[in-house]
Amino acid sequence: TYTVRAQYMIAADGGKTVGPELGVTMEGPSGILDMVSTHFTADLSQYWEDDVLITWLVNPEGAGSWHSGAMAAMGPTWGKHSEEFVIHFTFRPDDPNRFDEEAIVPRLRELLKLPDLEPEVHKVSHWILEGVLADKYQVGRVFLAGDAAHRHPPTTGLGLNTAIQDAHNLVWKLAAVLRGDSAPALLDTYEPERRLVGMRNVDWAMFTFLNHMVIDAGIGLSPDQPLELRTQVFRDLFSDTPMGETRRARAFEVANTQRTEFQAHDLEIGFAYQDGAVLPDGSDAPPRDPMGSVYFPTTRPGHRLPHAWIEHHGQRISTHDLVGTDTALVLITGAQGQDWVTAADTVAQKYGIRIKAVTIADGADYTDPTGRWSELREIGEDGAILVRPDNHVAWRSADRAATPADELARTVGTLLSR
């Protein structure tokens, strides 16, 4: 046992200790299903397809995709020659058989219809399906991140992404405060920025998890059907009849709704911060795709800086590479933005911080050979965009301000609570 004294704590403990100790409440449904995950080694090369990551097993006995199981290749060889796999089953939380690990291998053989399969089981783990969100992300000088702040189904793959975004959002602010670049009030922007994103991601993951049951219904399956009827559903589905053709068309159409899980680009990179370390410019938000598939890049304050390939001394880099790994702000301007570059130097000296000024224009150190950045920047050649260290836009000016140094000084002072 030892004691650590620190100015700040990040509780990334999965919600096991720190949050409950501080009275943080996890809001939302929990205990929905008991998921059993089995990690095993087996040669399935003659059955597994190349270019397939996840397979849902849907059969008459299982009455649906999650009950039958979902299996993913784990490598280390990619494709049909993957040596390891993990399969997920669902049990009701009150099912006494959920902890019977000796029943796992027989069930695996039955699901795969491989009675002679001899898998090497490495680990059987249990986890409860839930969709919960912490009622607060900050308690004094303690900040919750990752599973301590939000827990949800793995569908859409938002769990680790959301956790990394938490850290990305928080650590530059902590670093700025500890370096003296910012007042501690900057840290109070973590919760209003991240909690709304966490809420949307929890809701989306639960939505896409439950949508698999919509696919089951599209096939014609219901957990209330007797086995004989479910078996007939599959006979009809694969029959060489007009109704079989219609059932297959319906199944295909309904399965397409699962793009909410597999093409959720707007959820992954289209999220934006409305309140926090952001100075709104009064512009309208870009459209949002209700199915989550289409991402609309924008430099509107609060949004993620759009990616575009640019060149620096003949080397292709991303606009995201303009932001470094320290607490420096980045000011991006165009061919007529020299006044902003001068202002950046003045303001950096005023506050004792680093502002990296970047001009993207023909003949400059950074160029836009494809013209893609010009399509995305949403400012004129004499405008400017201020980017935070987490690659989110903090502020922008569509064109030259009357007094760029004063405008930028007010902006940075507000942003850093100075």
Side-chain angles (χ1 to χ4, degrees), residues 39-304:
H39 175 203
F40 67 95
T41 291
D43 181 6
L44 300 178
S45 57
Q46 60 180 310
Y47 312 108
W48 197 263
E49 294 285 343
D50 272 325
D51 304 320
V52 169
L53 175 63
I54 306 173
T55 290
W56 272 267
L57 305 170
V58 185
N59 53 49
E61 298 87 351
S65 51
W66 281 115
H67 184 80
S68 296
M71 191 162 68
M74 301 289 285
T77 302
W78 176 248
K80 66 187 303 180
H81 295 289
S82 175
E83 293 86 357
E84 300 178 13
F85 296 85
V86 64
I87 188 166
H88 308 283
F89 309 122
T90 60
F91 289 88
R92 288 179 54 84
D94 56 356
D95 188 338
N97 293 323
R98 69 189 191 279
F99 292 116
D100 183 4
E101 296 189 1
E102 293 184 359
I104 294 295
V105 171
R107 181 171 178 178
L108 182 59
R109 291 175 179 142
E110 173 61 26
L111 281 170
L112 298 180
K113 302 295 186 284
L114 298 174
D116 298 325
L117 184 68
E118 294 292 342
E120 177 188 355
V121 176
H122 304 293
K123 176 73 173 178
V124 177
S125 56
H126 295 257
W127 47 281
I128 295 295
L129 181 71
E130 56 186 349
V132 294
L133 182 75
D135 64 342
K136 45 185 171 285
Y137 275 35
Q138 178 181 359
V139 181
R141 289 179 290 128
V142 179
F143 304 89
L144 278 63
D147 281 4
H150 42 79
R151 296 192 294 273
H152 42 83
T155 40
T156 321
L158 294 171
L160 186 57
N161 285 344
T162 311
I164 290 173
Q165 292 162 13
D166 293 340
H168 207 194
N169 182 285
L170 179 59
V171 295
W172 78 266
K173 298 174 181 178
L174 278 170
V177 171
L178 293 172
R179 284 168 56 101
D181 292 350
S182 173
L186 176 64
L187 298 173
D188 295 335
T189 66
Y190 171 64
E191 179 176 310
E193 288 188 348
R194 288 303 306 162
R195 190 171 183 274
L196 286 176
V197 176
M199 180 183 298
R200 178 160 170 77
N201 288 356
V202 167
D203 290 345
W204 195 270
M206 185 64 74
F207 170 75
T208 54
F209 181 92
L210 295 175
N211 198 66
H212 282 275
M213 300 175 189
V214 176
I215 296 176
D216 295 338
I219 293 172
L221 295 173
S222 167
D224 300 325
Q225 295 167 326
L227 176 60
E228 294 80 5
L229 183 54
R230 295 199 299 267
T231 302
Q232 186 60 47
V233 165
F234 278 86
R235 290 197 187 101
D236 294 341
L237 182 69
F238 294 112
S239 66
D240 187 17
T241 64
M243 181 50 66
E245 186 177 3
T246 297
R247 286 178 175 271
R248 290 190 293 275
R250 180 184 67 174
F252 180 81
E253 188 165 318
V254 174
N256 258 340
T257 65
Q258 203 61 24
R259 67 183 183 277
T260 53
E261 175 179 1
F262 298 115
Q263 284 86 40
H265 307 308
D266 191 43
L267 271 289
E268 294 163 343
I269 57 178
F271 64 94
Y273 303 136
Q274 308 301 329
D275 299 307
V278 173
L279 284 78
D281 64 355
S283 60
D284 293 332
R288 300 294 299 265
D289 175 10
M291 294 296 280
S293 299
V294 182
Y295 159 62
F296 296 92
T298 178
T299 61
R300 182 173 181 265
H303 292 255
R304 181 177 182 267

Side-chain angles (χ1 to χ4, degrees), residues 366-395:
Y366 296 88
T367 61
D368 180 23
T370 68
R372 179 60 175 159
W373 170 245
S374 296
E375 296 174 2
L376 296 173
R377 66 187 184 184
E378 299 176 318
I379 61 168
E381 293 288 358
D382 58 350
I385 300 168
L386 188 66
V387 186
R388 309 183 333 182
D390 61 354
N391 256 321
H392 279 256
V393 176
W395 163 92

